[in-house]
Amino acid sequence: MGGRTPDLADPESLRVLIRLLRTHLGPYKKPIALLVLLQLLQTSTTLYLPTLNADIIDQGVANGDTGYILTHGGIMIAVSLVQVFCNIGAVFFGARTAAALGRDVRAGVFARVQSFSAREVGQFGAPSLITRTTNDVQQVQMLVLMAFTLMVSAPIMCVGGIIMALGQDVPLSGVLLAVVPVLGIAVSLIVRRMRPLFRTMQTRLDTVNRVLREQITGNRVIRAFVRDEYEQERFRGANTELTDVSLATGRLMALMFPTVMTVVNLSSVAVVWFGAHRIDSGGMQIGQLTAFLAYLMQIVMAVMMATFMFMMVPRAEVCAERIEEVLGTDTSVVAPKSPVTELRRHGHLEVRGADFTYPGAEASVLRGVDLVARPGEITAIIGSTGSGKSTLLGLVPRLMDATDGQVLVDGEDVRTLDPVLLAKTVSLVPQKPYLFSGTVATNLRYGNPDASDEELWHALEVAQAKEFVSALEGGLDAPIAQGGTNVSGGQRQRLAIARTLVQRPEIYLFDDSFSALDYATDAALRSALTRETAEATVVIVAQRVSTIRDADRIVVLDEGRVVGAGRHHELMADNETYREIVLSQLTEAEAA
């Protein structure tokens, strides 16, 4: 999701950033108001100090008045203490508010991503969503922190410094008429070129994230095919592209500070040169020149602080656009406004004329699919790879919604059901089971937090996982790594099945959930499941014929259409597609 490349003169990016900040900073108006007040006080005291210093030089040092020096020196110390405390308070409230903003935006992005269906997740891509939730939010948070600690005081310092400098000597202030516009033009020209580079940087950061994620996840495949050098080269390419754009951005940043300092130093020389002539002619005093130089440096420091901000704004604008893309994307799976919270029947599943098409796809994955699954029966779905089996199961728990037709649970369209009710009624064991970091017990209780240890052990026994869990150090408290990478594929499948059994739904959906099991374990598990789910509705997707041949009803899918339905012997007799699948795995005698 690179988004559009904006015209640099187009303020749309800035408007997006301002809208994001206005929305999420709204709850923090009081601390922001206090912060601005503290910054105002701190800047005012900073502006007052050079005038006090000038008075001490001109009235105290020049006249040898020690009392005047001590009195005004004490005032300077008091003003400095006020400045320090105001600055500490402003930084404290600024840091807290910026951290709160980052927390709220991350929570908002996370909540929106959690509401996405598989369609929206695929549209953005997991690596990009991770980058947007972490790095992009961090860039906006850093901008806000810098704004609260620098940008609030910068304009006050700049305007106040000009006014105070005019109060010291009006003719000498003509130097400011040249310095400030030159600084502004130089900074704006450099920042203008940085915005597209920052956009490219974030996109290439997505690419590095994606490549790294693929290589970590697919480490075993890379090792198996000895593709280490190829993957290193692929990462090197993505890393080099990010480095190149980072270097280009760094060159512009490196150019900015020498430019600003050159203007500053030339202006200081000009002030001293013309100031010396003013002192020589009696137009101003030495203390006034000292104060004027101090105000010039304060003005320049204000411009430098603004420069820091201008360096961060383009990247923050790009990041805000990317964040808003996520926040502005509505899920295709929308919760009903008046949901059904109670079902009359229990476990009856029906699919009527369901179609499904992925965004941008030329052909539908499912076309006019009809299916009925009843309580107390096992309904199996079989078909060649790419026939739409997993997509069909995904429509039931609303991982995505059918683009046409209906999916009914107990006579109610799943789009009208309360999501909590649907989750309790339907449970899916996906084709690639995922376990979360934690323990065996925390994973099993994922769908039923109140389940007892006895219920967990019973579910493990049915899922043929009790033996290997008992052998683990800690048993139910044995640690599980992220994704379940510290257990085998078959063990992950059995733990995922046990997790579903602990939930005890009314409709069980098994999406090729027995593929990693050996034949003996598969047979024992199916036998135990038949007894455990005798009163529930069970739908099984499988590639292995032996897993589904005894099902009460077998539905045959081919290229997204139902081409047959019945029991094993019926389909063997009159369905050519089913016969081809069976005979590719079994002999004629075994099939009979």
Side-chain angles (χ1 to χ4, degrees):
M1 292 296 295
R4 60 180 182 81
T5 301
D7 182 357
L8 295 179
D10 181 11
E12 178 60 30
S13 297
L14 183 59
R15 283 199 293 267
V16 172
L17 175 60
I18 292 173
R19 183 168 63 246
L20 179 69
L21 296 181
R22 185 188 299 121
T23 301
H24 290 89
L25 287 176
Y28 306 103
K29 291 179 180 178
K30 289 184 178 179
I32 292 174
L34 183 57
L35 180 150
V36 172
L37 178 61
L38 290 171
Q39 288 281 28
L40 180 60
L41 290 173
Q42 181 257 336
T43 308
S44 299
T45 55
T46 303
L47 290 169
Y48 185 43
L49 286 174
T51 300
L52 281 172
N53 188 45
D55 287 344
I56 291 174
I57 294 172
D58 293 336
Q59 303 298 326
V61 176
N63 298 326
D65 189 345
T66 305
Y68 190 90
I69 295 172
L70 292 174
T71 302
H72 282 71
I75 295 173
M76 284 189 71
I77 292 173
V79 171
S80 298
L81 290 174
V82 172
Q83 177 195 24
V84 169
F85 285 118
C86 288
N87 193 30
I88 292 173
V91 171
F92 173 78
F93 285 108
R96 281 178 60 95
T97 306
L101 169 80
R103 177 198 62 203
D104 295 347
V105 175
R106 277 192 300 272
V109 174
F110 178 79
R112 181 53 60 106
V113 172
Q114 285 292 97
S115 72
F116 284 169
S117 69
R119 177 184 296 190
E120 287 78 41
V121 173
Q123 176 185 337
F124 285 99
S128 182
L129 289 173
I130 293 171
T131 305
R132 292 170 197 242
T133 309
T134 53
N135 186 270
D136 287 3
V137 174
Q138 184 180 18
Q139 296 303 323
V140 175
Q141 179 179 333
M142 285 300 298
L143 174 71
V144 172
L145 178 61
M146 295 293 286
F148 286 156
T149 55
L150 299 179
M151 198 58 187
V152 173
S153 61
I156 305 173
M157 183 81 74
C158 187
V159 175
I162 293 173
I163 294 172
M164 298 299 285
L166 286 169
Q168 295 299 321
D169 192 80
V170 175
L172 194 57
S173 300
V175 176
L176 301 176
L177 296 177
V179 173
V180 175
V182 170
L183 282 176
I185 292 171
V187 170
S188 63
L189 288 176
I190 295 173
V191 170
R192 184 180 178 89
R193 297 188 59 189
M194 290 171 68
R195 182 178 286 109
L197 291 177
F198 280 129
R199 178 176 296 280
T200 305
M201 183 186 294
Q202 293 305 112
T203 303
R204 291 184 180 177
L205 188 61
D206 280 349
T207 304
V208 169
N209 196 346
R210 174 176 54 79
V211 172
L212 183 62
R213 191 168 183 265
E214 286 179 352
Q215 291 172 347
I216 292 173
T217 306
N219 181 264
R220 292 184 180 181
V221 178
I222 294 170
R223 294 287 181 84
F225 287 90
V226 196
R227 299 288 283 175
D228 303 66
E229 292 186 5
Y230 170 78
E231 291 298 330
Q232 287 174 8
E233 186 61 34
R234 195 159 74 100
F235 182 80
R236 189 180 297 114
N239 196 24
T240 300
E241 289 181 348
L242 177 60
T243 302
D244 290 344
V245 71
S246 299
L247 287 173
T249 307
R251 292 188 192 102
L252 288 174
M253 289 183 177
L255 179 63
M256 183 176 291
F257 290 104
T259 302
V260 172
M261 292 310 298
T262 299
V263 176
V264 169
N265 292 330
L266 289 175
S267 61
S268 297
V269 171
V271 168
V272 173
W273 177 268
F274 291 113
H277 287 286
R278 291 282 294 156
I279 292 172
D280 187 54
S281 64
M284 67 185 302
Q285 295 178 316
I286 295 175
Q288 288 179 305
L289 177 60
T290 304
F292 192 94
L293 282 170
Y295 286 126
L296 175 64
M297 290 308 298
Q298 286 181 352
I299 294 168
V300 170
M301 286 302 298
V303 174
M304 290 287 287
M305 289 190 290
T307 300
F308 275 115
M309 290 298 302
F310 288 137
M311 288 167 53
M312 299 184 68
V313 166
R315 189 172 188 181
E317 287 176 356
V318 172
C319 293
E321 279 194 334
R322 288 158 52 87
I323 292 168
E324 281 291 338
E325 281 180 348
V326 177
L327 295 176
T329 300
D330 293 324
T331 177
S332 56
V333 177
V334 182
K337 294 181 179 179
S338 301
V340 175
T341 57
E342 188 176 353
L343 296 172
R344 296 185 301 276
R345 291 179 288 175
H346 298 285
H348 189 275
L349 172 64
E350 183 178 0
V351 180
R352 294 180 184 172
D355 288 10
F356 183 80
T357 307
Y358 285 103
E362 296 181 359
S364 298
V365 180
L366 299 174
R367 289 172 286 181
V369 173
D370 293 317
L371 181 145
V372 176
R374 301 178 180 85
E377 296 182 353
I378 297 176
T379 302
I381 303 174
I382 196 169
S384 59
T385 301
S387 59
K389 305 183 297 297
S390 296
T391 303
L392 176 57
L393 282 198
L395 299 180
V396 183
R398 297 193 73 191
L399 300 184
M400 67 279 284
D401 277 339
T403 50
D404 195 17
Q406 288 182 301
V407 178
L408 306 174
V409 170
D410 294 334
E412 300 286 351
D413 193 314
V414 292
R415 285 170 286 203
T416 66
L417 294 179
D418 186 314
V420 176
L421 176 62
L422 180 61
K424 289 181 179 179
T425 306
V426 178
S427 187
L428 169 68
V429 181
Q431 195 169 10
K432 296 179 180 179
Y434 189 88
L435 301 178
F436 297 90
S437 56
T439 65
V440 172
T442 58
N443 274 278
L444 295 183
R445 289 193 174 100
Y446 201 74
N448 183 7
D450 299 324
S452 64
D453 285 357
E454 289 74 16
E455 290 175 305
L456 300 188
W457 283 116
H458 176 70
L460 289 169
E461 184 177 7
V462 174
Q464 309 303 303
K466 184 177 181 179
E467 183 177 349
F468 87 80
V469 171
S470 299
L472 294 175
E473 186 177 352
L476 290 176
D477 295 323
I480 295 293
Q482 181 183 4
T485 53
N486 61 333
V487 294
S488 70
Q491 290 171 339
R492 277 199 300 274
Q493 284 192 338
R494 283 178 279 171
L495 288 174
I497 293 169
R499 178 171 58 192
T500 297
L501 291 170
V502 170
Q503 184 180 348
R504 304 196 66 82
E506 294 169 5
I507 299 175
Y508 291 84
L509 306 176
F510 296 100
D511 185 5
D512 204 11
S513 307
F514 314 100
S515 58
L517 306 181
D518 59 78
Y519 282 98
T521 306
D522 183 6
L525 175 55
R526 285 187 288 110
S527 176
L529 271 177
T530 301
R531 295 190 299 271
E532 186 71 15
T533 62
E535 298 180 0
T537 301
V538 178
V539 180
I540 299 176
V541 164
Q543 298 285 355
R544 192 184 292 171
V545 173
S546 60
T547 302
I548 54 95
R549 66 183 296 168
D550 296 326
D552 297 292
R553 191 163 182 262
I554 301 173
V555 177
V556 185
L557 281 183
D558 186 33
E559 296 184 353
R561 295 184 182 277
V562 175
V563 296
R567 296 184 70 88
H568 171 74
H569 65 276
E570 297 170 347
L571 293 171
M572 283 295 293
D574 58 20
N575 191 281
E576 190 60 32
T577 302
Y578 184 74
R579 276 184 61 84
E580 289 178 3
I581 295 172
V582 172
L583 296 180
S584 68
Q585 301 179 32
L586 307 173
T587 64
E588 188 79 43
E590 290 172 332

